[in-house]
């Protein structure tokens, strides 16, 4: 039900980048996300100026980009771990240095925010996340926004 509320026609997905400006990989991911968002917005504008009976898929890949330098809240961290495959997948250790499980990840994050590994890209509406700068994984996540929108 919650997912359905955000998947309504016309609503944009929110994609969050947990960013660290001093990190080269994080800066590359930010550039990639900005470019992808700019392309979808420019395609949407072109569509609005042309025939309204056809829908360009790029228009539907529009998303709101939320860039934050703050670490995730404990609830967000739990969700991200779930999006990455859940507690048994070892996801906690991918995003929090040295964490063996979700509870240790939350504890370590509270003790030291720098333990959180950036960049992390999260699509909250679809329940998907990518850790690191894997461009193909990030682009795949963005492309899946249009597939999800097509189902709505």
């Amino acid at each position: 039900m919650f997912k359905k509320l955000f998947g309504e026609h016309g609503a944009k997905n929110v994609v969050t980048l947990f960013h660290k400006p001093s990190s080269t990989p994080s800066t590359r991911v930010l550039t990639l996300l900005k470019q992808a968002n700019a392309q979808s917005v420019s395609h949407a504008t072109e569509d609005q100026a042309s025939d309204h009976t056809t829908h360009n898929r790029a228009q539907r890949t529009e998303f709101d980009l939320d860039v934050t330098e703050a670490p995730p809240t404990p609830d967000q961290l739990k969700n991200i771990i779930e999006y990455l495959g859940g507690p048994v997948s070892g996801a906690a250790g991918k995003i929090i240095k040295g964490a063996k499980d979700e509870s240790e990840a939350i504890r370590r994050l509270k003790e030291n925010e720098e333990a959180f590994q950036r960049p992390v890209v999260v699509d909250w509406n679809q329940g998907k996340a990518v850790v690191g700068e894997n461009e193909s994984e990030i682009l795949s996540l963005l492309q899946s926004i249009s597939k999800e929108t097509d189902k709505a």
Side-chain angles (χ1 to χ4, degrees):
M1 177 73 179
F2 179 75
K3 197 180 208 182
K4 197 68 173 159
L5 288 174
F6 287 99
E8 295 298 321
H9 182 71
K12 289 189 209 173
N13 278 27
V14 176
V15 175
T16 298
L17 169 62
F18 289 96
H19 178 55
K20 183 174 185 176
S22 62
S23 163
T24 302
S26 189
T27 302
R28 279 195 282 260
V29 170
L30 177 60
T31 301
L32 175 69
L33 290 171
K34 283 182 174 180
Q35 288 172 343
N37 197 25
Q39 283 180 331
S40 69
V41 170
S42 72
H43 285 216
T45 304
E46 288 170 16
D47 285 350
Q48 290 165 0
S50 62
D51 182 14
H52 291 286
T53 59
T54 60
H55 296 286
N56 185 325
R57 174 168 277 202
Q59 180 177 356
R60 294 190 219 135
T61 61
E62 269 191 85
F63 57 93
D64 286 329
L65 179 58
D66 173 39
V67 180
T68 181
E69 294 177 29
T73 65
D75 284 341
Q76 287 175 324
L77 182 60
K78 287 178 186 177
N79 286 337
I80 294 167
I81 290 170
E82 185 64 34
Y83 299 166
L84 292 170
V88 296
S89 69
K94 291 178 188 173
I95 55 177
I96 302 291
K97 283 182 194 168
K100 305 272 188 276
D101 57 30
E102 186 178 289
S103 60
E104 186 177 1
I106 292 168
R107 182 181 56 77
R108 286 179 181 256
L109 180 63
K110 286 179 181 176
E111 291 171 358
N112 178 14
E113 292 181 354
E114 291 302 310
F116 181 66
Q117 302 295 298
R118 293 173 182 90
V120 176
V121 178
V122 183
D123 180 337
W124 303 106
N125 298 13
Q126 294 189 91
K128 295 182 179 184
V130 176
V131 179
E133 64 172 322
N134 186 322
E135 186 174 325
S136 63
E137 283 185 36
I138 294 167
L139 291 174
S140 176
L141 180 143
L142 296 178
Q143 288 173 346
S144 66
I145 293 172
S146 68
K147 291 176 186 166
E148 186 66 24
T149 306
D150 286 345
K151 291 180 193 173

